[in-house]
Amino acid sequence: ESMEVPVLEEGADEFLASVDQLVQDEDSEPQKQQQEQENFSIDNNDSDDDDDTNDGPGFEMADASPLAKEYSPPPASLKSKASKRKKKVEPIMKKRKKGVELSPKRRSKKKVTYATPDGYNKGYPVGNREYEAVPVTDYKDDDDDEAQQLEGVRRSKRARFPPLQYWKNERLMFEANNESGILGEAMGDMPVVSGVLSALPTPYKQRKVVEKKKKKKQYSSPNSDDDDESSAHRRAELSPFDSRKLRKKYDIKDGETAQVWDDISGDIVEEKFVAYAESMHGTQLPLSSSRTKAEGNIVGKAGQAFNIPADEEDVYVGYISGNLELPPRGIKDAEGVGGCNQIFTVCRCQPKSLEIALGHPDNPIFSPKTAQRFLLSAGDIFRVPPGNHYRIQNHSKVESSMMTWTIIKPRRNQSEEK
């Protein structure tokens, strides 16, 4: 069982003979041991000393037989294992005699697919397989006769080539024979092998692995003076949308005006329809009230987008709309709205950092002690009815807040009466 199978390069016949001899020896070994034990027992019976005591020789010979102690029957599986090895060796030896080269089996845990024929990822095929015509003369030995005579060995001059890989569509190429004389008459029109159509490797293209980079959130320090600029820089990191396909499909306008129906004049007019953020230049708000040292002197900027007046017959009310931006720790001081309605929409801010304070109606002016305060986030909306005061403060230290506002003007008759 411990005998190792040698490399089957030379001495194959001797190895097979040794395996046969091993099987025969294993079959005959029990019979030899049994025969020796029987002969030994017969010699003991012929002895004149029949003393069976512990001190007599008869007891020692019957009980302490060396064969009884040393011999143990061989396992029954020994013969089957040797025969199995012989069955595995015989087909290998037949291939060796035929000159077939045996390639070692490659064990790989990787899954073999169409793109990984050898167990390794080569990418994906980018073209059809090409073939190369190899003439049959390339497979013949170029050794001259004198070298063969010096070696004392006669070698065949026939062309030898490896087995064709039929799954790659490799095949032999034939042509008409050029023999003359008796050999030409005997061969007639029989074609002869002119070469081998050998398959070249399939062209592959390696797949590019794109690693997604995680964007780190960058926040400016609370004591930094460029908080407003850093917030704008983070928003500018997003690249503009590629609108080329939409522009081919639709007529996309880049201006701010459009043709609209004017219900007052009863005609189609061209008016301002869109207000882009880059065209709304914000104006810095005034510092209209005294502040504490903790509140600071930071104010916001307000930009106007539309200013639509009321019609002459006072059917349609006028309104003004725009945006308001408060930098970190910025404040819009308290003010009254008079007879107008104001509506604000919070577009951007740190969650729960934007404070809106509404003055109590019992006080004719805004009082910080009695004001009603709310904390808002992005997407929230609030309104200030006519005759009220309000104040806005951005408590965030790292993010600016952006709001849109609309002021609805009162009717002329109401304003004249007041």
Side-chain angles (χ1 to χ4, degrees), residues 24-41:
Q24 294 176 3
D25 294 345
E26 291 172 351
D27 294 339
S28 60
E29 185 66 21
Q31 297 178 1
K32 291 181 181 180
Q33 296 290 349
Q34 186 177 4
Q35 185 65 29
E36 292 179 1
Q37 189 174 2
E38 291 177 356
N39 296 336
F40 186 77
S41 61

Side-chain angles (χ1 to χ4, degrees), residues 359-417:
H360 198 276
D362 291 340
N363 298 328
I365 60 175
F366 181 85
S367 176
K369 294 182 179 180
T370 60
Q372 307 168 77
R373 303 176 187 273
F374 302 87
L375 293 178
L376 307 182
S377 303
D380 297 337
I381 302 173
F382 67 94
R383 74 180 185 92
V384 184
N388 288 272
H389 295 77
Y390 71 97
R391 177 180 179 272
I392 305 175
Q393 181 176 355
N394 183 14
H395 290 280
S396 176
K397 298 179 181 180
V398 296
E399 184 69 22
S400 63
S401 63
M402 174 65 72
M403 294 162 281
T404 61
W405 52 267
T406 301
I407 300 176
I408 302 175
K409 299 178 182 180
R411 296 184 182 274
R412 294 179 181 178
N413 296 335
Q414 295 178 358
S415 60
E416 288 177 358
E417 292 175 0

Side-chain angles (χ1 to χ4, degrees), residues 279-295:
S279 63
M280 290 186 290
H281 303 288
T283 303
Q284 189 170 356
L285 299 176
L287 187 63
S288 58
S289 63
S290 60
R291 301 182 184 179
T292 63
K293 187 177 180 180
E295 291 176 344

Side-chain angles (χ1 to χ4, degrees), residues 246-260:
L246 288 176
R247 292 180 182 276
K248 291 180 180 179
K249 188 176 181 181
Y250 303 106
D251 182 17
I252 305 296
K253 298 181 178 296
D254 295 327
E256 294 184 346
T257 60
Q259 292 183 352
V260 297

Side-chain angles (χ1 to χ4, degrees), residues 333-371:
D333 292 325
E335 68 174 356
V337 297
C340 301
N341 280 284
Q342 291 194 15
I343 301 174
F344 290 82
T345 302
V346 183
C347 302
R348 181 187 71 250
C349 73
Q350 187 176 352
K352 299 298 181 181
S353 66
L354 188 65
E355 176 194 328
I356 172 66
L358 181 64
H360 198 276
D362 291 340
N363 298 328
I365 60 175
F366 181 85
S367 176
K369 294 182 179 180
T370 60

Side-chain angles (χ1 to χ4, degrees), residues 53-115:
T53 60
N54 293 340
D55 299 334
F59 178 82
E60 293 179 358
M61 290 182 180
D63 185 60
S65 172
L67 292 175
K69 294 181 178 180
E70 296 178 1
Y71 173 73
S72 60
S77 61
L78 183 62
K79 180 179 178 180
S80 61
K81 288 183 178 180
S83 59
K84 287 181 180 179
R85 289 179 182 174
K86 185 177 180 180
K87 290 180 180 179
K88 291 181 179 180
V89 169
E90 285 181 350
I92 298 175
M93 289 308 306
K94 290 181 181 179
K95 293 182 179 180
R96 288 288 184 182
K97 290 181 179 180
K98 293 181 180 180
V100 179
E101 295 183 0
L102 300 177
S103 58
K105 292 183 179 180
R106 177 180 294 175
R107 296 182 179 180
S108 175
K109 295 182 180 179
K110 297 182 179 180
K111 186 178 180 180
V112 178
T113 60
Y114 180 73

Side-chain angles (χ1 to χ4, degrees), residues 207-262:
R207 297 182 184 273
K208 294 182 180 179
V209 180
V210 180
E211 297 182 358
K212 295 183 178 180
K213 296 182 179 180
K214 296 182 179 180
K215 294 185 178 179
K216 296 182 179 180
K217 294 183 178 180
Q218 300 177 356
Y219 294 100
S220 57
S221 60
N223 300 326
S224 174
D225 297 334
D226 328 344
D227 292 332
D228 194 16
E229 296 180 2
S230 61
S231 301
H233 177 68
R234 288 196 300 272
R235 295 190 300 272
E237 288 181 355
L238 294 175
S239 59
F241 173 73
D242 188 2
S243 61
R244 288 177 293 182
K245 291 184 179 180
L246 288 176
R247 292 180 182 276
K248 291 180 180 179
K249 188 176 181 181
Y250 303 106
D251 182 17
I252 305 296
K253 298 181 178 296
D254 295 327
E256 294 184 346
T257 60
Q259 292 183 352
V260 297
W261 172 261
D262 186 10

